[in-house]
């Protein structure tokens, strides 16, 4: 691949050297280039880059006066808004660490993170988020007693009490060492881990993302992915602003708002998880009729597997290619994505980003044969510094040579494109055969009645069985038995679900990812609210599997 963008990024060492020192320098660069260009849009309100710079400086000054020091953690409880962006940059200006937490997390989840990171200050974006206001009241930072601070023209935030026991972390001058953001992820386990992402991690993704997406000052990017998650932070927010483009912020996803953004509000670039595109199509009167989206030029999916049926239907309706990508929080997050000048009809996640090395590793520890699946290991400037306060887990994830074990199963074709087969921890071994949930989900998602599905394994004596949870589109109906008959014609016997549960909805995180660990627990307890239909015997012979 020899596009202008690839050539621009080919000298990785030079590109890294030329990056700004800190993430807040993105704002400074754009003030120099075009201070009156639109940076953020929230509802009917906008901020230019000059106004964002003023807000960033004011936040930094207010935080400093409130006792925040370099190396402190500052916990930001809220949802997408301009004030959150200014707070992140203001924290950066002080060399403190921004710990963004989605306010829609439960009280227990919020408190686990708070107790682990021990923030110097917790700030609640109560004006845009009723959930943030509720957490503030729980933490005795109610509006009547808490310190308030107006972030420019974009509303007030509430300051929690100063934690005098908070100890700052050491500060590094090098962007590759200084932590910019502490992002908590539950991965497949449900237990939160604090991923330390440095300024260089995030700036590298911002630079590469903006270049490969060909963003410029004329673009308006839809910013609905939660900034508290790394996809929304690095690729969407920082990538958009690095290019000097405009970011249209949405506090929460709704298909109606997304439809308005692309048909009436001039959005040129969409970035989302596959379930957002599924919900958009589901909301349309005719899910196959092309939309009039005069300014939309491209859209991207990431964060969870994209199945062929959803990709094809989205492209028919939007009239542009739905590009696919792959990443994980520990990689800031992007590892690979398809290129604008090389659209694909399949669901490959594209070649690795410039500067990212990959290995596809067999169980023996050596590299697999070309085209064969194995565990994906990566190395590059996007790899995290480690897990906060957990050196043992960090050593398990990153080896002495800097290779990160992603825990995902992948294969690479002759063109260099990666295909994500599934997660190693989600791999189901049925009667000695490997079942990759993503493959089964792609089949289950194809019928028009299905919005999305999730496949998990369940232990039975001497074996594992496949359990599928399926969410239907409003107004559509089908049964587990009908889905089982369809699946029987598409999958080998050993891959077919032993149980299919048609559920009213599937549990999802704020970033749209299905919470599979909850479904796995539900399957193991056999405590579904819906009585699943048995569609296969508990065990099958090797002859039946073949």
């Amino acid at each position: 691949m020899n596009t202008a963008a690839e050539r621009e990024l080919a000298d990785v060492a030079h590109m890294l050297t030329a990056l700004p020192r800190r993430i807040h320098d993105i704002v400074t660069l754009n003030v120099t280039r075009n201070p009156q260009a639109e940076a953020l849009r929230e509802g009917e309100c906008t901020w230019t880059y000059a106004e964002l710079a003023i807000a960033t400086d004011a936040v930094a000054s207010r935080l400093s006066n409130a006792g925040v020091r370099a190396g402190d953690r500052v916990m930001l409880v809220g949802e997408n808004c301009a004030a959150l962006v200014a707070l992140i940059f203001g924290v950066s200006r002080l060399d403190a660490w921004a710990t963004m937490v989605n306010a829609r997390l439960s009280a227990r989840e919020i408190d686990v993170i708070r107790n682990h990171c021990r923030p110097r200050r917790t700030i609640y974006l109560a004006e845009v988020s009723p959930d943030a206001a509720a957490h503030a009241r729980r933490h005795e930072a109610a509006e009547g007693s808490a310190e308030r601070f107006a972030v420019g023209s974009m509303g007030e935030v509430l300051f929690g009490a100063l934690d005098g026991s908070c100890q700052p972390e050491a500060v590094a001058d090098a962007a590759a060492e200084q932590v910019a953001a502490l992002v908590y992820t539950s991965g497949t386990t449900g237990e939160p881990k604090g991923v330390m992402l440095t300024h260089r991690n995030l700036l590298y993704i911002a630079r590469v993302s903006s270049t490969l997406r060909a963003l410029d000052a004329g673009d308006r990017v839809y910013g609905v992915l939660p900034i508290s998650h790394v996809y929304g932070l690095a690729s969407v927010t920082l990538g958009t602003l690095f290019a000097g483009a405009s970011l249209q912020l949405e506090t929460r996803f709704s298909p109606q708002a997304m439809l308005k953004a692309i048909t009436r509000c001039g959005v040129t670039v969409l970035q989302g998880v596959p379930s957002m595109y599924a919900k958009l199509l589901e909301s349309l009167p005719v899910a196959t009729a092309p939309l009039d989206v005069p300014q939309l030029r491209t859209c991207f999916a990431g964060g969870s597997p994209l199945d062929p049926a959803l990709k094809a239907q989205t492209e028919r309706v939007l009239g542009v290619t739905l590009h696919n990508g792959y990443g994980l929080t520990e990689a800031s997050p992007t590892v690979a994505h398809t290129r604008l000048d090389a659209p694909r009809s399949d669901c490959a996640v594209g070649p690795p980003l410039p500067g990212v090395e990959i290995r596809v590793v067999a169980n023996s520890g050596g590299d697999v044969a070309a085209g064969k699946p194995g565990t994906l290991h990566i190395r590059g400037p996007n790899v995290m510094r480690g897990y906060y306060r957990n050196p043992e887990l960090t050593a398990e994830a990153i080896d002495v040579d800097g290779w990160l074990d992603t825990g995902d199963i992948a294969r690479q074709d002759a063109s260099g494109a990666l295909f994500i087969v599934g997660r190693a921890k989600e791999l189901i071994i049925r009667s000695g055969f490997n079942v990759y949930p993503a493959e089964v989900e792609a089949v289950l998602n194809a019928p028009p009645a299905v919005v999305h599905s999730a496949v998990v394994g369940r232990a039975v004596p001497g074996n594992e069985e496949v359990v599928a949870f399926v969410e239907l589109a409003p107004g559509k109906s089908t049964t587990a038995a009908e889905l089982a008959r369809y699946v029987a014609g598409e999958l080998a016997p050993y891959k077919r679900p032993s149980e299919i549960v048609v559920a009213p909805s599937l549990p999802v995180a704020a970033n749209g990812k299905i919470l599979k660990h909850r479904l796995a627990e539900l399957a193991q307890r056999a405590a579904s609210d819906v009585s699943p239909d048995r569609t296969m015997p508990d065990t099958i012979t090797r002859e039946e599997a073949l």
Side-chain angles (χ1 to χ4, degrees):
M1 192 171 297
N2 192 31
T3 66
E6 297 284 340
R7 291 194 298 272
E8 183 179 338
L9 299 171
D11 188 342
V12 176
H14 174 74
M15 183 259 289
L16 293 174
T17 301
L19 288 175
R21 180 173 168 273
R22 298 291 192 254
I23 60 172
H24 67 266
D25 291 328
I26 292 173
V27 182
T28 306
L29 288 173
N30 281 295
V31 169
T32 302
R33 294 170 184 157
N34 190 356
Q36 298 310 310
E38 182 180 287
L40 302 175
R41 175 176 291 267
E42 182 184 331
E44 299 303 315
C45 299
T46 62
W47 268 354
T48 65
Y49 278 97
E51 289 168 327
L52 177 55
I54 291 169
T56 296
D57 290 344
V59 165
S61 177
R62 181 66 181 83
L63 289 172
S64 179
N65 291 337
V68 174
R69 307 155 301 186
D72 280 336
R73 279 77 58 212
V74 179
M75 188 164 163
L76 308 174
V77 181
E79 299 177 62
N80 285 12
C81 60
L84 178 57
V85 178
L87 283 164
I88 291 168
F89 287 138
V91 170
S92 167
R93 188 173 287 284
L94 296 181
D95 266 338
W97 302 12
T99 304
M100 294 78 63
V101 179
N102 195 299
R104 282 176 279 169
L105 295 180
S106 68
R108 181 194 64 82
E109 292 167 318
I110 292 274
D111 291 348
V112 166
I113 293 171
R114 190 175 183 226
N115 292 336
H116 184 263
C117 74
R118 297 299 303 271
R120 179 75 162 171
R121 285 275 190 177
T122 301
I123 300 174
Y124 307 86
L125 289 96
E127 192 163 309
V128 298
S129 172
D131 292 306
H135 290 301
R137 289 191 294 271
R138 269 195 325 107
H139 293 156
E140 299 182 347
E143 294 189 25
S145 59
E147 300 175 65
R148 298 185 182 200
F149 175 62
V151 183
S153 60
M154 294 294 191
E156 290 185 329
V157 299
L158 303 178
F159 276 57
L162 180 75
D163 183 352
S165 67
C166 170
Q167 295 300 310
E169 299 293 338
V171 176
D173 184 68
E177 297 297 326
Q178 176 63 19
V179 173
L182 186 59
V183 180
Y184 278 82
T185 176
S186 59
T188 58
T189 66
E191 295 299 320
K193 299 173 289 186
V195 176
M196 296 184 289
L197 300 178
T198 68
H199 288 270
R200 192 180 78 163
N201 288 153
L202 297 174
L203 287 164
Y204 162 78
I205 291 297
R207 170 73 163 90
V208 173
S209 175
S210 63
T211 302
L212 293 182
R213 287 174 169 82
L215 295 176
D216 61 28
D219 278 308
R220 179 174 296 167
V221 179
Y222 196 55
V224 71
L225 285 167
I227 297 172
S228 54
H229 295 261
V230 69
Y231 187 5
L233 170 65
S235 182
V236 180
T237 300
L238 299 183
T240 299
L241 299 179
F242 196 100
S246 171
L247 181 65
Q248 180 169 322
L249 291 161
E250 293 284 351
T251 302
R252 299 191 180 190
F253 171 77
S254 79
Q256 294 77 21
M258 190 174 186
L259 179 62
K260 179 182 177 182
I262 58 178
T263 57
R264 295 164 51 193
C265 296
V267 164
T268 62
V269 178
L270 281 180
Q271 290 178 253
V273 293
S275 62
M276 291 181 182
Y277 293 101
K279 294 288 187 182
L280 174 67
L281 297 178
E282 171 196 314
S283 72
L284 301 176
V286 181
T288 56
L291 287 173
D292 182 14
V293 286
Q295 291 176 271
L296 185 68
R297 66 173 179 85
T298 188
C299 51
F300 294 85
S304 58
L306 174 67
D307 68 78
L310 176 60
K311 174 177 165 63
Q313 188 179 8
T314 301
E315 291 176 343
R316 283 195 300 271
V317 171
L318 297 183
V320 297
T321 300
L322 177 56
H323 288 278
N324 197 16
Y326 159 75
L328 64 162
T329 305
E330 291 85 344
S332 307
T334 316
V335 173
H337 67 69
T338 56
R339 304 301 199 254
L340 293 179
D341 66 333
R344 300 184 66 106
S345 58
D346 57 25
C347 287
V349 297
L353 300 186
V356 174
E357 303 173 77
I358 68 163
R359 292 181 62 207
V360 183
V361 179
N363 291 336
S364 63
D367 292 355
V368 301
K372 298 295 183 182
T375 305
L376 181 64
H377 292 231
I378 69 162
R379 182 168 66 180
N382 55 337
V383 172
M384 66 174 179
R385 182 172 147 183
Y387 296 112
Y388 188 47
R389 293 179 172 163
N390 202 329
E392 295 81 9
L393 192 60
T394 300
E396 288 178 20
I398 305 173
D399 71 15
V400 294
D401 295 318
W403 288 97
L404 170 68
D405 181 351
T406 68
D408 289 310
I409 306 297
R411 62 181 176 85
Q412 189 173 32
D413 70 8
S415 74
L418 287 171
F419 292 79
I420 304 302
V421 180
R423 281 200 60 81
K425 291 182 179 178
E426 293 177 359
L427 177 68
I428 303 165
I429 302 177
R430 182 171 176 79
S431 299
F433 291 92
N434 289 351
V435 180
Y436 298 105
E439 180 185 5
V440 183
E441 290 160 1
V443 172
L444 284 166
N445 291 343
V450 176
V451 174
H452 52 193
S453 63
V455 170
V456 299
R458 177 168 62 194
V460 294
N463 208 345
E464 253 190 311
E465 61 183 4
V466 181
V467 180
F469 294 82
V470 173
E471 179 180 337
L472 301 185
K476 302 288 186 179
S477 64
T478 189
T479 65
E482 289 172 339
L483 289 171
R485 286 192 291 272
Y486 169 74
V487 167
E490 302 291 326
L491 293 172
Y494 72 93
K495 298 179 183 178
R496 298 173 195 163
S498 297
E499 296 187 12
I500 297 177
V501 179
V502 178
S505 63
L506 301 184
V508 296
N511 63 353
K513 285 187 179 181
I514 296 172
L515 298 173
K516 282 194 171 182
H517 64 278
R518 293 187 184 175
L519 294 175
E521 292 167 359
L522 184 64
Q524 199 64 47
R525 293 197 311 265
S528 172
D529 292 334
V530 184
S531 298
D533 295 352
R534 301 293 296 183
T535 60
M536 281 184 59
D538 285 339
T539 59
I540 55 176
T541 66
R542 182 166 290 271
E543 289 72 21
E544 288 174 324
L546 295 172

